[in-house]
């Protein structure tokens, strides 16, 4: 904030250095979970972007997207949706088509908000369209594609198609292993989600395999996460309880 005060004093609020400082402060607030103050800073950035580049510029759309993200984090879904949709309109007008990463990101974010609002059909359409664009841009084995498989897996599990949800989590896991390696926390998290999904479907042996693999990965890390290991042990114990193996459960 001291740097921002200096920038405002000597450079003015419309100078590029001032905007960079504002953005850095906004991202720091976001990282520490202070979404209200982050939103206020992104709003300041947007106001400056409109003056400097115009209402329908990509710079303005980027700031608007970030404002939508903060509203999403604050669970203010209606406002988040409005910001995301405005950003998407600008992006589509600028590029003239949907074959762009920023469009794909906006569609994914809109899908998440719509899902929260219970508009499941529209949410699914957004997720699949974002997936189509990302696969076209990056190929099938990219981390950005894995994000969409993950969101679609969660969507289908929550809307009653558990088999499809499990299949999509498995595709997420395949890409994450290939791209991120087994040490990455996303791999352990996806294994855990797969275990829970299989457990809900009564596939206890398969669930146990996923939980055990996640547990092995957590134990093998240089910086062990005691809370994560404890949680996985509890999940494994619950499976053994369901299978009637009380000795292993204990």
């Amino acid at each position: 904030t001291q740097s921002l005060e200096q920038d405002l004093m000597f450079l003015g609020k419309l100078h590029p250095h001032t905007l960079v400082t504002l953005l850095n402060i906004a991202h720091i607030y976001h990282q520490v979970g202070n979404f209200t103050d982050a939103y206020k800073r992104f709003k300041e950035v947007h106001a400056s972007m409109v003056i400097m580049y115009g209402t329908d510029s990509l710079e303005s759309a980027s700031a608007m997207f970030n404002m939508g993200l903060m509203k999403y984090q604050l669970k203010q879904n209606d406002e988040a949706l409005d910001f995301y949709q405005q950003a998407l309109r600008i992006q589509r007008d600028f590029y003239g088509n949907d074959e762009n990463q920023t469009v794909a990101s906006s569609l994914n974010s809109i899908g998440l908000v719509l899902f929260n609002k219970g508009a499941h059909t529209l949410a699914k359409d957004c997720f699949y369209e974002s997936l189509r664009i990302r696969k076209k841009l990056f190929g099938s084995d990219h981390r950005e594609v894995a994000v969409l498989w993950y969101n679609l897996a969660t969507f289908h599990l929550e809307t009653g198609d558990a088999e499809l949800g499990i299949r999509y989590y498995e595709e997420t896991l395949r890409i994450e292993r290939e791209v991120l390696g087994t040490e990455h926390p996303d791999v352990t998290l996806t294994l855990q989600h797969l275990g829970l999904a299989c457990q809900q479907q009564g596939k206890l042996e398969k669930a146990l395999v996923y939980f055990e693999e996640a547990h092995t990965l957590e134990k093998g890390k240089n910086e062990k996460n005691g809370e994560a290991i404890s949680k996985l042990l509890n999940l494994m114990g619950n499976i053994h309880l369901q299978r009637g193996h009380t000795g292993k459960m204990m």
Side-chain angles (χ1 to χ4, degrees):
T1 56
Q2 290 181 352
S3 177
L4 178 61
E5 290 173 3
Q6 294 292 317
D7 287 344
L8 289 170
M9 183 182 300
F10 295 108
L11 302 174
K13 68 178 182 179
L14 299 182
H15 194 280
H17 288 313
T18 305
L19 289 176
V20 169
T21 303
L22 263 175
L23 276 170
N24 288 338
I25 293 171
H27 286 303
I28 291 170
Y29 278 136
H30 179 204
Q31 290 171 4
V32 301
N34 188 345
F35 305 124
T36 299
D37 284 335
Y39 170 77
K40 291 177 182 176
R41 293 304 187 183
F42 282 127
K43 188 176 181 180
E44 291 178 46
V45 171
H46 177 255
S48 296
M49 291 296 190
V50 168
I51 296 171
M52 295 175 66
Y53 303 107
T55 304
D56 293 334
S57 64
L58 285 180
E59 292 83 359
S60 297
S62 177
M64 202 169 290
F65 179 90
N66 284 322
M67 291 161 68
L69 177 59
M70 295 309 101
K71 289 295 184 180
Y72 174 76
Q73 298 285 2
L74 290 165
K75 304 188 186 305
Q76 297 172 7
N77 289 313
D78 289 337
E79 292 180 67
L81 183 60
D82 184 53
F83 285 127
Y84 282 148
Q85 288 178 326
Q86 289 185 66
L88 178 62
R89 178 190 60 77
I90 295 169
Q91 291 160 355
R92 280 174 161 165
D93 288 346
F94 182 87
Y95 293 111
N97 58 60
D98 284 1
E99 314 305 306
N100 185 271
Q101 165 63 355
T102 57
V103 172
S105 294
S106 293
L107 285 167
N108 179 52
S109 296
I110 289 171
L112 291 170
V113 175
L114 290 171
F115 181 65
N116 284 347
K117 288 170 63 66
H120 292 159
T121 301
L122 292 173
K124 182 173 71 171
D125 290 344
C126 288
F127 288 142
Y128 275 108
E129 179 62 7
S130 183
L131 176 65
R132 180 194 68 78
I133 297 168
R134 287 184 175 180
K135 287 177 73 174
K136 182 176 180 179
L137 293 174
F138 304 120
S140 298
D141 299 329
H142 195 278
R143 187 181 183 184
E144 293 294 327
V145 174
V147 170
L148 263 299
W149 283 127
Y150 182 91
N151 287 343
L152 280 164
T154 304
F155 171 86
H156 285 293
L157 279 169
E158 292 293 327
T159 55
D161 194 342
E163 290 297 328
L164 193 57
I166 290 172
R167 195 158 81 237
Y168 286 174
Y169 273 141
E170 289 172 341
E171 181 64 7
T172 304
L173 180 63
R174 181 191 68 78
I175 299 171
E176 288 176 344
R177 278 173 168 162
E178 184 174 326
V179 175
L180 304 175
T182 57
E183 290 292 312
H184 199 279
D186 284 359
V187 173
T188 309
L189 185 63
T190 302
L191 283 166
Q192 185 173 310
H193 282 304
L194 267 166
L196 289 168
C198 289
Q199 183 180 13
Q200 290 171 5
Q201 291 300 297
K203 300 177 180 180
L204 301 183
E205 187 172 346
K206 197 172 182 180
L208 185 60
V209 169
Y210 286 127
F211 289 145
E212 286 177 340
E213 184 177 351
H215 177 249
T216 300
L217 291 177
E218 282 292 346
K219 284 180 65 180
K221 291 179 180 178
N222 292 328
E223 294 185 9
K224 295 179 176 59
N225 185 339
E227 185 178 349
I229 293 172
S230 177
K231 183 177 182 179
L232 285 162
L233 284 168
N234 189 55
L235 290 169
M236 291 157 62
N238 287 337
I239 295 293
H240 288 305
L241 176 61
Q242 285 184 264
R243 300 178 76 191
H245 301 161
T246 53
K248 290 183 178 180
M249 176 200 73
M250 293 303 294

